[in-house]
Amino acid sequence: MAQLLSKRKRPPREEKALKAENKLEDGVFDRNTLLALNKLMQAGHFSTLDFPIAKGKEANIYCATTEEGNNVAVKIYRIDTSNFIRMHEYLHGDPRFLHVKKNRFDVVLAWTKKEFSNLKEFYWNGVAVPQPIAFNRNIVVMEFLGKGGLPFPTLEQVGTARPQDDFNFLLDEIKKIYQLGFVHSDISQYNIVVTDGGLKILDCAQAVMLAHPRSEEFLNRDVSNLVKFFQKYKVKCDLDESLAYIKDGKPVKKGLEALV
Ligand SMILES: Nc1ncnc2c1ncn2[C@@H]1O[C@H](COP(=O)(O)OP(=O)(O)OP(=O)(O)O)[C@@H](O)[C@H]1O
Ligand SMILES: [Mg+2]
């Protein structure tokens, strides 16, 4: 019986061939991701995928070019090496993702959809995030924050020349997000880009709705990251005061409209 089971478990020859065909290039380009890229290209969102810009914890980011010669950013989530258990924790209490099964594939796909959906909600309500363009499977296409193919630097890389203004601006952006019914949950100098049109906030996949059981804790963490960073520049900022400022005023929405 044991032998029979082990024999049955062995993948048939054609499946082995399929596995080889699915071999990952750069940790992201399995066959289905290539098909999804192709669909996005067929839909006209870009015509060439040019070069990698960055490799984050969960995704690889590429610069791509449209037929008109404009750059867009293509963020491809890695299915095989993403920390889907951690990701799943940020889906709690989110009416958009109530029935996501706790397996690697479903969680990464929900995460991709969540980043796109959050970007849409934030961007179209005037928050300083890259403009979302499209998504498919584990890929998000968005506005490229850079010039001549070079991405703009992060706040961590170049620091700030106008600390008080930048702090006030970012607090206002966090407040806008909060009043839309969300907490970004990954605010730090590493996820803020210094563009020639001002600061922009990246990495919106982790943003949770206020209904998330830990949304208050995430808000505290976001604001204290900001306060710690700007205190190095001698900005007068206080965690409690900043939190009170963010929460002051009527919420614009409850965040439930943010459906893809
Ligand atoms: N729209 C964009 N335009 C230009 N560069 C971008 C864009 N999005 C991301 N990047 C670049 O890729 C880097 C990583 O992006 P992002 O933070 O969204 O991915 P991540 O996988 O969550 O990374 P990490 O785990 O490091 O936070 C950024 O620091 C930035 O340099
Ligand atoms: Mg990041």
Side-chain angles (χ1 to χ4, degrees):
M1 182 66 173
Q3 205 184 3
L4 214 122
L5 274 178
S6 72
K7 258 192 187 166
R8 226 185 260 160
K9 273 186 183 164
R10 219 175 287 154
R13 194 180 289 245
E14 60 278 19
E15 228 173 80
K16 267 192 193 166
L18 208 65
K19 282 218 168 120
E21 198 181 305
N22 278 345
K23 200 163 87 63
L24 295 178
E25 286 297 336
D26 215 8
V28 281
F29 297 119
D30 61 273
R31 192 169 177 276
N32 289 327
T33 300
L34 289 173
L35 287 173
L37 277 170
N38 192 44
K39 280 193 189 143
L40 289 164
M41 290 169 93
Q42 294 298 322
H45 298 301
F46 55 94
S47 54
T48 57
L49 188 71
D50 305 329
F51 48 85
I53 306 170
K55 191 168 179 172
K57 283 188 297 291
E58 327 284 5
N60 293 17
I61 295 100
Y62 297 83
C63 181
T65 307
T66 65
E67 225 161 59
E68 297 79 34
N70 301 317
N71 288 135
V72 293
V74 177
K75 184 167 183 176
I76 308 181
Y77 281 99
R78 298 188 296 272
I79 293 176
D80 282 6
T81 57
S82 281
N83 185 347
F84 76 100
I85 306 277
R86 187 190 73 86
M87 287 172 159
H88 192 262
E89 284 166 17
Y90 287 81
L91 298 173
H92 277 309
D94 193 322
R96 300 169 298 177
F97 303 102
L98 285 181
H99 306 295
V100 177
K101 287 191 204 125
K102 200 172 176 178
N103 67 58
R104 179 175 291 285
F105 184 74
D106 288 20
V107 169
V108 176
L109 261 55
W111 193 255
T112 312
K113 203 172 182 178
K114 185 161 172 258
E115 172 149 44
F116 185 73
S117 172
N118 289 345
L119 276 175
K120 268 194 356 186
E121 182 72 5
F122 300 167
Y123 182 83
W124 295 110
N125 282 294
V127 182
V129 295
Q131 180 175 0
I133 297 173
F135 87 99
N136 193 300
R137 200 172 177 270
N138 55 328
I139 306 167
V140 180
V141 185
M142 66 185 109
E143 173 189 359
F144 177 73
L145 303 175
K147 240 188 193 163
L150 275 183
F152 288 123
T154 62
L155 198 54
E156 165 63 17
Q157 288 168 325
V158 289
T160 168
R162 306 175 316 147
Q164 186 69 57
D165 288 351
D166 283 351
F167 176 74
N168 293 345
F169 174 80
L170 290 167
L171 210 59
D172 277 333
E173 297 308 292
I174 295 177
K175 179 171 180 142
K176 278 188 215 164
I177 293 175
Y178 186 82
Q179 309 242 314
L180 286 168
F182 292 83
V183 174
H184 182 283
S185 309
D186 201 11
I187 293 279
S188 78
Q189 60 272 31
Y190 298 93
N191 277 333
I192 294 160
V193 172
V194 184
T195 80
D196 52 12
L199 303 179
K200 297 270 161 113
I201 301 171
L202 289 179
D203 236 354
C204 297
Q206 202 155 308
V208 298
M209 287 188 170
L210 296 182
H212 189 286
R214 293 172 67 194
S215 63
E216 282 294 303
E217 176 195 334
F218 296 154
L219 181 67
N220 279 24
R221 188 176 66 192
D222 279 357
V223 180
S224 68
N225 285 344
L226 215 57
V227 165
K228 265 187 229 146
F229 179 78
F230 282 96
Q231 275 175 347
K232 285 192 236 152
Y233 289 88
K234 312 273 182 261
V235 170
K236 282 199 194 99
C237 44
D238 172 80
L239 178 61
D240 291 335
E241 271 176 27
S242 302
L243 286 169
Y245 173 72
I246 288 167
K247 292 176 184 173
D248 185 41
K250 266 201 178 133
V252 185
K253 282 188 189 178
K254 291 226 158 48
L256 293 173
E257 288 96 310
L259 299 164
V260 172

